[in-house]
Amino acid sequence: MSLWLALTAMVAWLLADTDLASPNPWRELTAMGRGLLMPTVADWGQWLSAIGMTLAFALQAIALAALVGFVLALVWHRRWVRWLAALARSVHEVFWALLFIQVLGLSTGAGLLALFLPYAGTLAKIYGEQLQESDPRPVQALTLSTRAGLSYFLYCRLPLVWAGFGHYTRYRLECALRSSVVLGFIGLPTLGYFLETALREGDYASASALLYALIALVFSLKLWLNRWGFVLALSLSLWWFPPAVHWQPGLLAQFAQDLIPAPLRLDLNAEQAMAWLKALLTQALDGSWHTLVLAQVVVAATGLLALLAMPLNSPQMLPGWARWAGDGLLIVVRSLPEYLLNFIGLICLGPSMLPAMIAMSLHNGAIIAHLLGQHSGELPEAAMHSGATDRFFYHLLPRLYRQFLAYLLYRWEIIVRETAMLGVLGIPTLGFYIDSAFERLAFDVALLLILVSSLMTLGADSLSRWLRSHLALKTTPESE
């Protein structure tokens, strides 16, 4: 498995565009470094409003997604529910936003719906699987007259999974914060909107202040994110930033009509229809090919970075203060959205696939390294005293490797999904052609390309699940 990943990644690297287009990347990096040391807030009202809007989008979307996801999880055994949830989460929130903006305008309602749909699909899947996989023995030990009904669910089944629901929902709120920032890059007034402006203008001091605000938001979740903290923050967000839409009744009907493929909508003749279809297939094939090439390099680079960075959060590799600093670095890196890292990379390195490779590998590698480091703490100490290198290669790595592969395969689906979306920044993946179709108001082409992107994500998810099952990869560390 590892050899196959490495070989395909090497081939993909040879096929990818990895040119360093910028003549002097160190000049921009130096300027960014100065900005990081001297963060500046020019307009405190605007800065606080952007933070509030970012948090409001995430809170409102997760609250709604958790509610809908919970309801869908109750009927997770139905195939149509699983398909519906899979379709919702396979489309990136940026693509959902581009669709909703056509009907609802650049409104808070459009942003809320764009975040809600994929997160509802994801939470429905996780809640449903947790309910199905919950330990049946506590319930079997009870003498019950019936094993159905609301009381049975509330008092017997729900308590077994409630803590897991809460833990995963809190993690998804952190993800929603990142997604909320990314929506700013397409025009919604979150931190991303002002970050893009500051970065484009070379105002790195202002960009740094916004970046620190995002990191502080993620770190602060541990301090206030409990049941009452969530309810209070959600209430305040609904009061200060209530969802709103710029609704025009005739616009939905017109947009729905524009989604019908042009040969059917415009009654094109056979020659014109073939030309339309040929252009569509060319874009779909080219975008899919570049999406696969980029994703494969990123998967391998993510794995390598995760293994190299894992000791930063391992209690068996670093003492208390050093591990605290190392894990803090990993959390900072994973807090930054791939879209933002790629945008910064494009400024420094110029247009090619190289910035996207670095951005996604850093983000995903930090996530896996953080998890592996945590799990290394569950392993027994090495039987014999040894140096750090021997302890890593002969004690930790063999016991965590199967879990490492499980995490890497899980991230494969996410990497394919993100790779397709990053085309919005000019990389020739599917997102590039989708964004171009929206700019040309060719909504039928955009919708069909979004469906192609969705199918690629679902295909990667299916293959990943099959490989994890076929290889019997465990999600718990090997202790023997």
Side-chain angles (χ1 to χ4, degrees):
M1 178 67 195
S2 302
L3 180 62
W4 177 83
L5 275 176
L7 288 175
T8 54
M10 287 173 64
V11 174
W13 171 267
L14 294 174
L15 296 171
D17 172 17
T18 56
D19 291 341
L20 188 62
S22 174
N24 188 3
W26 292 111
R27 186 178 59 188
E28 287 299 330
L29 284 171
T30 304
M32 287 181 183
R34 288 197 200 99
L36 285 171
L37 295 175
M38 296 181 291
T40 303
V41 179
D43 186 336
W44 281 96
Q46 186 184 75
W47 189 76
L48 291 172
S49 174
I51 294 173
M53 187 62 79
T54 302
L55 189 56
F57 270 132
L59 285 167
Q60 294 171 18
I62 285 296
L64 190 57
L67 180 63
V68 173
F70 179 76
V71 173
L72 292 178
L74 300 180
V75 287
W76 190 246
H77 58 282
R78 297 187 183 277
R79 183 173 297 177
W80 68 267
V81 173
R82 296 198 297 275
W83 285 358
L84 186 67
L87 178 63
R89 70 174 187 273
S90 67
V91 178
H92 198 280
E93 42 269 32
V94 167
F95 296 153
W96 280 121
L98 289 172
L99 286 169
F100 286 125
I101 284 172
Q102 311 307 320
V103 180
L104 305 177
L106 273 172
S107 61
T108 53
L112 178 60
L113 286 173
L115 290 183
F116 153 69
L117 279 174
Y119 282 98
T122 302
L123 289 173
K125 176 178 183 289
I126 299 301
Y127 291 168
E129 290 178 351
Q130 287 185 353
L131 276 172
Q132 288 179 342
E133 296 168 4
S134 61
D135 189 351
R137 287 174 297 182
V139 176
Q140 290 170 352
L142 298 174
T143 303
L144 300 171
S145 58
T146 177
R147 294 186 185 277
L150 183 61
S151 297
Y152 169 74
F153 177 76
L154 291 178
Y155 292 105
C156 295
R157 295 199 63 199
L158 190 58
L160 297 174
V161 295
W162 188 250
F165 281 12
H167 178 76
Y168 192 77
T169 307
R170 284 192 289 275
Y171 168 68
R172 276 292 152 188
L173 179 61
E174 180 188 326
C175 299
L177 277 174
R178 289 195 291 269
S179 300
S180 180
V181 171
V182 171
L183 292 186
F185 282 79
I186 58 172
L188 293 166
T190 65
L191 281 169
Y193 178 82
F194 300 101
L195 261 170
E196 184 191 25
T197 305
L199 289 169
R200 283 190 187 279
E201 294 175 351
D203 184 3
Y204 298 132
S206 296
S208 298
L210 295 163
L211 203 60
Y212 289 142
L214 169 61
I215 294 170
L217 266 181
V218 173
F219 271 88
S220 72
L221 292 180
K222 289 183 178 177
L223 302 177
W224 61 267
L225 189 56
N226 51 45
R227 184 186 310 168
W228 296 115
F230 181 82
V231 171
L232 178 62
L234 178 62
S235 303
L236 290 174
S237 77
L238 289 170
W239 182 45
W240 271 319
F241 304 103
V245 297
H246 306 308
W247 174 256
Q248 296 182 31
L251 205 56
L252 178 59
Q254 180 61 50
F255 183 63
Q257 188 177 2
D258 290 341
L259 291 178
I260 300 171
L264 302 176
R265 174 166 42 89
L266 302 176
D267 196 21
L268 301 180
N269 60 38
E271 185 180 352
Q272 292 171 322
M274 285 304 296
W276 179 88
L277 184 60
K278 184 180 177 183
L280 174 67
L281 288 175
T282 301
Q283 295 176 53
L285 291 173
D286 191 62
S288 301
W289 170 251
H290 285 104
T291 300
L292 284 175
V293 166
L294 178 54
Q296 201 56 35
V297 176
V298 171
V299 168
T302 293
L304 184 61
L305 281 173
L307 291 178
L308 291 174
M310 183 265 282
L312 292 175
N313 188 32
S314 172
Q316 298 204 33
M317 296 296 293
L318 292 176
W321 66 269
R323 183 200 170 200
W324 179 85
D327 191 36
L329 176 64
L330 293 177
I331 294 176
V332 167
V333 175
R334 84 171 192 188
S335 302
L336 303 177
E338 302 102 310
Y339 192 99
L340 173 61
L341 291 172
N342 188 29
F343 191 86
I344 294 172
L346 285 171
I347 293 173
C348 297
L349 306 177
S352 76
M353 288 186 176
L354 194 57
M357 291 175 186
I358 296 172
M360 286 196 290
S361 303
L362 282 174
H363 177 80
N364 291 290
I367 290 174
I368 297 177
H370 172 78
L371 294 170
L372 290 178
Q374 279 186 333
H375 290 307
S376 73
E378 302 166 15
L379 295 174
E381 295 283 344
M384 297 177 61
H385 180 71
S386 57
T389 305
D390 289 344
R391 193 159 58 249
F392 176 77
F393 283 105
Y394 298 110
H395 177 61
L396 294 180
L397 193 54
R399 288 167 173 78
L400 291 172
Y401 198 74
R402 292 173 64 78
Q403 193 179 25
F404 156 73
L405 282 179
Y407 280 127
L408 191 61
L409 288 173
Y410 172 74
R411 297 300 300 182
W412 191 11
E413 171 213 349
I414 298 169
I415 287 170
V416 169
R417 183 173 175 270
E418 295 289 335
T419 302
M421 181 276 294
L422 286 181
V424 173
L425 285 173
I427 307 164
T429 61
L430 279 167
F432 172 77
Y433 294 105
I434 292 169
D435 191 45
S436 301
F438 275 110
E439 287 181 358
R440 292 183 281 110
L441 304 182
F443 300 133
D444 52 344
V445 174
L447 181 63
L448 290 170
L449 292 175
I450 288 174
L451 288 177
V452 172
S453 168
S454 171
L455 288 174
M456 287 189 68
T457 303
L458 293 174
D461 181 38
S462 298
L463 184 57
S464 167
R465 279 190 284 113
W466 181 82
L467 284 171
R468 280 179 285 167
S469 172
H470 180 69
L471 298 173
L473 295 176
K474 299 171 66 176
T475 56
T476 53
E478 304 278 346
S479 57
E480 299 295 335

